[in-house]
Amino acid sequence: MSKIIRADKYRWDVPLREYKTEGTGFRDITRQTLMGEGAGEERLNFLTRYFEVQPGGYSSLEHHEHPHSVVIIRGEGEVILDDRIEPIGLHDCIYISSHCLHQFHATGNEPLGFLCVVDRQRDRPQLPTEEEIRQLDANEVLRGRYRV
């Protein structure tokens, strides 16, 4: 059955969850799955999720086989995309390709909020290898800017 999930101040009437339940390398981030897990949504081939990173917080530095798209709907920050770091803000759209090492940082005074659309069936995130960390450290632009 078609439906509307109403929003109120960047919260929807779906469970608010921890970003991840294990591991480190992330700080002050939550998620909500808006579409794809609810009753009657089994035929969707994708999930639409909302992530919110508090000021000074960040997501995991990771990569995976599946690509995904991100739309910034709140705040400002920066994103690491392989060998570069880019400022991001309201309404920016980001395509993260397969095996692109990426990490989101909230740099403003308010949370960084973004919608993220991924395939329903997808692989698990992979953390950077020691070699990938060495490459990040060798990059003057990224040295000291990523978190693990």
Side-chain angles (χ1 to χ4, degrees), residues 16-65:
L16 178 65
R17 297 180 177 146
E18 295 178 58
Y19 170 62
K20 295 183 178 182
T21 56
E22 57 187 49
T24 59
F26 55 90
R27 188 173 91 195
D28 296 331
I29 181 170
T30 56
R31 67 183 169 95
Q32 289 186 279
T33 300
L34 306 179
M35 295 284 168
E37 288 184 347
E41 298 172 8
E42 298 81 11
R43 294 198 58 204
L44 285 175
N45 293 324
F46 58 88
L47 301 178
T48 302
R49 306 170 303 168
Y50 175 72
F51 290 88
E52 191 168 273
V53 187
Q54 296 304 309
Y58 47 88
S59 66
S60 297
L61 180 64
E62 63 187 32
H63 64 91
H64 26 70
E65 176 65 32

